[in-house]
Amino acid sequence: TWASYLTRGVPPAKRMLIGGNWKCNGTVAEVKKIINHINASGEFPLASEVVIAVPSIHLLSAAAQFREDVSVSAEDVGFNAGFGAYTGEVSAQLLVDAGVRWTLTGHSERRVGFGGPGETSEVVAKKTAVAVQAGLSVIACIGEQLAERENGTTMVVCAAQLAPIAQALKVADWKKVVIAYEPVWAIGTGKVATPAQAEETHREIRAWIATHVSPFVAREVRIIYGGSVKGSNCKDLIACPNIDGFLVGGASLLPEFVDIIKCTA
């Protein structure tokens, strides 16, 4: 509870968001083991807000098992609001009713697709707005492919992905939005943007938001980095002034995720 936190000090006004994304991983037994390890890992820094996206089949059981300073997140959210004839969808209202407070939108794997059509930036924007309007907080993902990085169009791509989100949201909605910059060429490949590369893109994303949304939102919004973040590189990355946390894929399934959570200390 916050009462217990306050005995340790006052948390910073802008906490780092340390996110995990389990993707389509985790048997019931494996999930229990991962959660037990995280729960037994001692105090987390006040500067770290921990949010872990789990497969929808594990959302409620994971929420019941995690310690109270870890929030669970859906990995995606339905395109349509409310309840109805949307077979296979999990709407924002269903998530909120079940006590889930977060969702991802626009992860690159969903944008590219799984052997079929991927989600457009307009679909991602609609899902983001529907989720926020239902009361969820959203980690909206953007990022470029390797060819786009190499031909110098990283920010052109990021701006094209951000623009529909900005158009779909009211300025007040941004308090419930986190932007995750994930260079696609660094996701699960072992490659990682250097701190200088990541900081440069985060700074440009913040400048874009200042111009196209508002300077206040640009100052306040958390822009987190994803792309082969590990215990070995998280300290250098979190030291960058425009990196406000991480969205961690594979390493969030491993014991070293605790090291990443604690790197803000």
Side-chain angles (χ1 to χ4, degrees):
T1 65
W2 280 111
S4 64
Y5 274 128
L6 291 174
T7 65
R8 296 163 48 200
V10 178
K14 188 176 184 179
R15 301 170 75 200
M16 300 290 109
L17 191 140
I18 309 299
N21 177 19
W22 289 359
K23 308 188 182 187
C24 188
N25 291 297
T27 64
V28 171
E30 288 167 344
V31 165
K32 184 175 180 62
K33 183 177 178 181
I34 294 166
I35 291 175
N36 285 344
H37 175 75
I38 290 172
N39 286 352
S41 294
E43 284 189 353
F44 294 158
L46 284 173
S48 292
E49 179 178 8
V50 183
V51 178
I52 300 177
V54 307
S56 57
I57 198 166
H58 295 310
L59 274 168
L60 297 188
S61 63
Q65 293 176 73
F66 268 123
R67 51 195 278 179
E68 65 178 12
D69 54 354
V70 175
S71 297
V72 298
S73 171
E75 295 181 5
D76 189 42
V77 65
F79 181 79
N80 293 288
F83 310 95
Y86 311 124
T87 302
E89 290 285 86
V90 180
S91 72
Q93 280 77 7
L94 282 176
L95 291 170
V96 169
D97 179 67
V100 177
R101 298 191 294 115
W102 287 86
T103 187
L104 307 183
T105 59
H107 192 279
S108 64
E109 291 156 9
R110 300 199 62 84
R111 289 179 183 269
V112 172
F114 309 104
E119 296 181 358
T120 66
S121 293
E122 288 69 30
V123 167
V124 173
K126 170 76 180 299
K127 287 185 172 187
T128 302
V130 164
V132 169
Q133 288 157 14
L136 290 169
S137 294
V138 178
I139 300 172
C141 305
I142 63 172
E144 83 282 9
Q145 303 280 341
L146 180 58
E148 294 159 342
R149 162 65 63 171
E150 291 178 339
N151 67 21
T153 57
T154 291
M155 198 53 215
V156 173
V157 172
C158 289
Q161 294 171 344
L162 280 168
I165 294 173
Q167 290 163 8
L169 296 177
K170 301 180 180 69
V171 171
D173 293 336
W174 280 86
K175 66 180 179 295
K176 297 186 75 68
V177 175
V178 173
I179 297 297
Y181 167 62
E182 298 192 297
V184 180
W185 48 272
I187 297 175
T189 62
K191 296 179 180 178
V192 62
T194 65
Q197 286 175 318
E199 167 64 15
E200 178 184 32
T201 306
H202 279 234
R203 186 174 64 248
E204 290 175 346
I205 291 168
R206 203 175 299 281
W208 188 95
I209 293 171
T211 300
H212 295 89
V213 183
S214 83
F216 175 78
V217 169
R219 285 193 304 272
E220 295 298 313
V221 70
R222 289 181 289 185
I223 305 173
I224 64 177
Y225 173 77
S228 295
V229 176
K230 303 183 186 308
S232 59
N233 60 27
C234 58
K235 277 281 191 184
D236 290 338
L237 287 163
I238 204 68
C240 297
N242 283 289
I243 294 180
D244 301 316
F246 302 120
L247 184 58
V248 183
S252 69
L253 297 158
L254 302 174
E256 71 180 274
F257 186 57
V258 171
D259 299 329
I260 299 172
I261 292 171
K262 294 186 177 183
C263 77
T264 63

